[in-house]
Amino acid sequence: MHKTAILKKYQWPMTGALLGALVFVALYGVRVLDPTCVDWILNNPSPDPSQHYLGWAFFRNSTVRLPYLGANYSVIYPYRTSILFTDSIPLLALLGKLFSPILPARFQYFGWWGLLCYALQGGLAQAILARLGGVRPGQIAKAWASVAGAGVLVLFPALTVRMFAHTALAANWLVLLAIWLWLRCDALLPTTRRACLVWAGMGVLCAGIHLYYLPMVGIVLVGYAVRRGLQKRGVAAVLLPVVCFCAAALAELVLLGAFASNFAGYSNGYLNGADLANLVVPGLAASWEQNVYIGLGAVAALVLAVVSFAIACARGKAATVAGFFRRHRIWLIAGAVVLLLDAIAAMGNTITLGGVTLGTVPIPQVLMDFWAMFSSCARLAWLAGMLLALLACGVVLRLWNGRVAVVLLAACALLQGYGQRDELAKRFATYHDDATYTDQTRLTDPAWETLAESGRFSHLAFVSFDFEHDEFWDLAAFAADHGWTSNSFYMGHMDGNLAAVTLAGEMNTLSADTLYVFVDEDELARDSFGLNYYRLDGILIGSVEPLDLTPDPAPETDSHAMDLRLSDVINGSVTADGVELGSGGEMMTDSWMLFPGTYRVTLTGSGFDHSYIYARHGLINQETYKLDIEFTDIAPEKMTFTFTTGEPLYYWCTAVHTLDDTPITVTGVTVEKTA
């Protein structure tokens, strides 16, 4: 086909893609497209973008050992993990690793990925709406209306919120592509062989971008299979595409090392389900992760679709509408199956509607373990949300003339943006701020580079498994930049218990080619190891062999204050001065790893004579143990207790409970290692 003919044929999907690209550039600017600029990623207040980029950076430096092409041996050295579990968009990471020798030292593909997501979102949404709206060649006004409707999907909240937060999850276009294949299956997938190849390709895309798209696209594939079954195409046409989709995804996951990864814990044991009323009613989500609201503009489109349908029936077109439904009966049945399956998958086993929990459905543990691989199952409602938005815009497009449809759908797109004005303004301000693109690392001492250039070290080791520190990501970036390994990192679906125990055990054998890092509370363990200690940028480091640095003297008092802002609080509040507890109040401090020794814990504040204080430890989701503690100082304003442990304490914390209506204030918790 001639180039001009191709451009003419696809001019409107390309216009929708251009709209998506323009929205992306307006929000995020063009500096995120510089592949050598990574500061905007590392400066993000959320650790997730740093995880995504550094996961790729460590993978880039990792050795290749067949058959696991996606295995990463550098990020939690010396163990094998997978690029899959750092949400680094595995397909792009593999492509980047292939061309790694010719890429710059610092290289990121996330900016261009974002642009691609917005462009594909706009282009595919326009193509689907043109199909649903019955837009014919030459209907210029209706074509523009389909582009305006695509704006509603370009500004879909799930895309807005996930971009450069959970960046791989911004691939909403995968769902749109599956819907497009479903709608156009008669033309695009005329044979079972082609259908198998295409749906296998979809399996590869989903598994290679983010696992949560496997069930969403898989449910659309079920809709395709239902339609083929109702068309009486035969068992092969119904089942083989499903088998190929699953087989291709499974094979890719094997190559990525998904089932051969150390520290992988696939089941979180819980489901964060969606309140389906939240699709159209804002504010019903129990948490940010469970928010599935489709946006003000999409809701407006739904209202317009219902009103338009009622007007059409009132004007005597009921017979025409009924005829349309009869002709598309198979589509309606298949669509209903898709929406029903998606609703079941997204709700989880606890049914909540309109903010009211209606009940919990008991399910076999085997099913729960499988389902819990997608524990944030509310995300699956994005499929229903996008499908409802598309259907609504399609109805408006079909029932109104072109000029009216342009006005109505453009208004919906504007409302979609207006409803997210605060979030959009925040992103605009962040990504158009020069400070976002400056190097803000805390590692400013030139001695860091001297250590890297010395060639004495090739590994960075954190003393304990705790990535909830600002310094952690700067240190991990330092290791990745210089081709070092790291023994600690945050992975999705990670068995944190196993990681915590493993890291503590590794400290039994110290290595001369490893630089040890004691971050915050880990400084309490410095006397447990025979290392040479130094301090750079306030961070305590240790080395087996002496370094040409000023030694850090052992402190007279080996103590560390807990960050009360990280406490879990019930019936109370965290203030600038500490934690305030009311009647029935409970406070649990941040969890620490404590090595063997004797400790003294001091709490300051007020009202302690009306409190119950204890300390406990234990692995996550396992039995916890209260420590045998001895109080040595008891006063309303100060409580001190001591304890001794001969073994490491994992996830140690201190708790304060109120005993009556007397308010309690905790202004400080200090832990001191005395022996």
Side-chain angles (χ1 to χ4, degrees):
M1 187 180 293
H2 193 271
K3 184 185 295 185
T4 304
I6 293 176
L7 291 175
K8 185 176 181 180
K9 180 178 181 180
Y10 297 106
Q11 62 177 320
W12 294 110
M14 291 172 63
T15 304
L18 179 61
L19 172 64
L22 290 174
V23 169
F24 175 86
V25 171
L27 285 175
Y28 300 100
V30 296
R31 283 184 283 187
V32 297
L33 301 178
D34 180 354
T36 64
C37 179
V38 303
D39 291 315
W40 63 272
I41 301 175
L42 298 175
N43 292 339
N44 196 300
S46 167
D48 291 304
S50 294
Q51 177 209 20
H52 307 157
Y53 164 70
L54 292 175
W56 138 249
F58 279 111
F59 175 69
R60 177 183 180 179
N61 297 327
S62 177
T63 57
V64 177
R65 300 175 187 173
L66 298 177
Y68 305 117
L69 297 178
N72 193 338
Y73 298 90
S74 295
V75 74
I76 306 184
Y77 178 84
Y79 301 97
R80 179 173 58 217
T81 61
S82 171
I83 188 64
L84 188 78
F85 298 124
T86 55
D87 291 340
S88 304
I89 314 174
L91 286 178
L92 294 184
L94 287 169
L95 186 63
K97 191 173 180 67
L98 179 64
F99 291 99
S100 181
I102 62 173
L103 296 178
R106 275 190 163 190
F107 178 83
Q108 61 85 16
Y109 44 74
F110 299 96
W112 282 96
W113 166 257
L115 179 64
L116 178 69
C117 286
Y118 269 79
L120 289 175
Q121 187 86 351
L124 287 166
Q126 188 283 328
I128 293 170
L129 288 176
R131 179 74 174 175
L132 293 175
V135 179
R136 298 183 179 86
Q139 293 182 319
I140 304 300
K142 282 215 166 190
W144 277 114
S146 67
V147 173
V152 175
L153 276 299
V154 167
L155 292 169
F156 194 69
L159 174 57
T160 301
V161 173
R162 299 293 170 167
M163 182 57 69
F164 301 145
H166 293 158
T167 311
L169 277 172
N172 291 178
W173 58 268
L174 276 173
V175 178
L176 297 181
L177 180 57
I179 293 172
W180 170 244
L181 291 173
W182 180 32
L183 289 176
R184 297 281 291 147
C185 59
D186 292 336
L188 299 177
L189 310 174
T191 65
T192 299
R193 180 176 178 273
R194 180 178 293 183
C196 289
L197 289 174
V198 170
W199 286 110
M202 289 297 294
V204 170
L205 283 176
C206 292
I209 293 175
H210 200 286
L211 289 181
Y212 273 83
Y213 285 105
L214 280 172
M216 282 186 271
V217 170
I219 289 171
V220 176
L221 175 54
V222 171
Y224 165 88
V226 168
R227 182 168 184 269
R228 287 305 195 208
L230 293 174
Q231 289 177 319
K232 299 181 180 179
R233 292 290 190 94
V235 175
V238 173
L239 296 182
L240 284 183
V242 178
V243 172
C244 290
F245 173 82
C246 296
L250 182 61
E252 183 180 13
L253 291 177
V254 170
L255 290 176
L256 290 175
F259 308 110
S261 179
N262 300 118
F263 307 109
Y266 294 98
S267 175
N268 289 330
Y270 64 88
L271 298 173
N272 281 330
D275 184 331
L276 294 182
N278 181 224
L279 285 167
V280 294
V281 180
L284 294 179
S287 68
W288 171 81
E289 187 61 75
Q290 293 166 278
N291 188 359
V292 296
Y293 182 52
I294 63 176
L296 181 61
V299 172
L302 279 172
V303 174
L304 282 174
V306 172
V307 171
S308 301
F309 182 79
I311 291 174
C313 292
R315 288 178 175 176
K317 297 182 180 180
T320 302
V321 173
F324 177 84
F325 283 147
R326 283 195 299 272
R327 291 193 304 274
H328 296 87
R329 178 180 61 86
I330 291 177
W331 280 113
L332 294 173
I333 294 174
V337 170
V338 168
L339 287 174
L340 178 61
L341 288 178
D342 190 53
I344 294 172
M347 282 192 298
N349 65 325
T350 299
I351 303 173
T352 303
L353 192 63
V356 178
T357 300
L358 303 180
T360 299
V361 179
I363 59 176
Q365 188 60 43
V366 173
L367 178 58
M368 172 60 83
D369 291 340
F370 175 79
W371 205 342
M373 287 194 295
F374 306 97
S375 56
S376 297
C377 58
R379 298 172 181 173
L380 306 183
W382 298 349
L383 164 59
M386 283 188 279
L387 197 54
L388 288 174
L390 289 167
L391 290 172
C393 292
V395 168
V396 172
L397 191 57
R398 187 173 284 270
L399 295 181
W400 292 96
N401 66 55
R403 293 182 178 179
V404 175
V406 167
V407 173
L408 292 177
L409 292 179
C412 289
L414 291 174
L415 284 173
Q416 189 79 329
Y418 179 78
Q420 301 174 78
R421 60 192 180 279
D422 292 339
E423 182 64 31
L424 296 177
K426 176 183 175 182
R427 288 172 179 268
F428 178 87
T430 298
Y431 291 94
H432 288 78
D433 184 356
D434 290 340
T436 299
Y437 304 91
T438 59
D439 184 357
Q440 299 179 15
T441 180
R442 294 164 179 80
L443 310 186
T444 59
D445 194 316
W448 291 107
E449 290 302 320
T450 302
L451 289 175
E453 293 169 1
S454 70
R456 297 179 60 175
F457 301 104
S458 56
H459 310 293
L460 184 74
F462 295 88
V463 174
S464 69
F465 177 66
D466 189 351
F467 46 81
E468 299 290 346
H469 303 283
D470 294 334
E471 299 91 343
F472 176 89
W473 299 102
D474 289 330
L475 289 162
F478 170 79
D481 283 343
H482 294 91
W484 293 11
T485 67
S486 172
N487 73 332
S488 180
F489 204 73
Y490 169 59
M491 312 288 288
H493 290 279
M494 186 172 189
D495 187 341
N497 290 336
L498 181 58
V501 173
T502 301
L503 261 64
E506 286 178 351
M507 294 303 295
N508 294 326
T509 304
L510 303 177
S511 176
D513 63 352
T514 302
L515 187 68
Y516 296 90
V517 181
F518 295 73
V519 180
D520 291 344
E521 65 269 16
D522 290 343
E523 292 190 23
L524 295 173
R526 64 179 290 164
D527 65 348
S528 299
F529 312 104
L531 294 170
N532 298 282
Y533 291 103
Y534 310 90
R535 195 174 293 273
L536 298 179
D537 294 315
I539 300 171
L540 184 67
I541 60 174
S543 171
V544 171
E545 301 294 338
L547 302 177
D548 189 18
L549 296 172
T550 302
D552 184 69
E556 294 183 6
T557 302
D558 197 3
S559 64
H560 203 83
M562 307 194 80
D563 188 347
L564 298 184
R565 296 171 300 176
L566 303 178
S567 303
D568 290 329
V569 178
I570 299 174
N571 293 333
S573 61
V574 179
T575 68
D577 298 324
V579 176
E580 296 180 356
L581 300 176
S583 178
E586 301 177 13
M587 166 193 165
M588 192 76 67
T589 64
D590 186 25
S591 297
W592 282 6
M593 162 80 184
L594 296 183
F595 285 85
T598 298
Y599 295 86
R600 178 166 52 230
V601 180
T602 302
L603 295 88
T604 57
S606 64
F608 289 136
D609 50 338
H610 295 268
S611 71
Y612 169 52
I613 299 173
Y614 66 93
R616 73 178 192 184
H617 68 99
L619 298 176
I620 298 173
N621 295 328
Q622 295 186 22
E623 184 178 358
T624 59
Y625 305 91
K626 286 187 178 181
L627 280 169
D628 184 9
I629 62 177
E630 179 181 353
F631 282 92
T632 59
D633 197 349
I634 301 176
E637 294 80 25
K638 181 180 179 181
M639 298 286 278
T640 302
F641 63 84
T642 63
F643 63 90
T644 299
T645 176
E647 59 184 8
L649 301 181
Y650 303 102
Y651 302 104
W652 173 91
C653 59
T654 296
V656 180
H657 292 233
T658 60
L659 292 177
D660 49 38
D661 294 336
T662 303
I664 295 174
T665 301
V666 183
T667 58
V669 178
T670 301
V671 182
E672 179 183 356
K673 190 174 184 182
T674 58

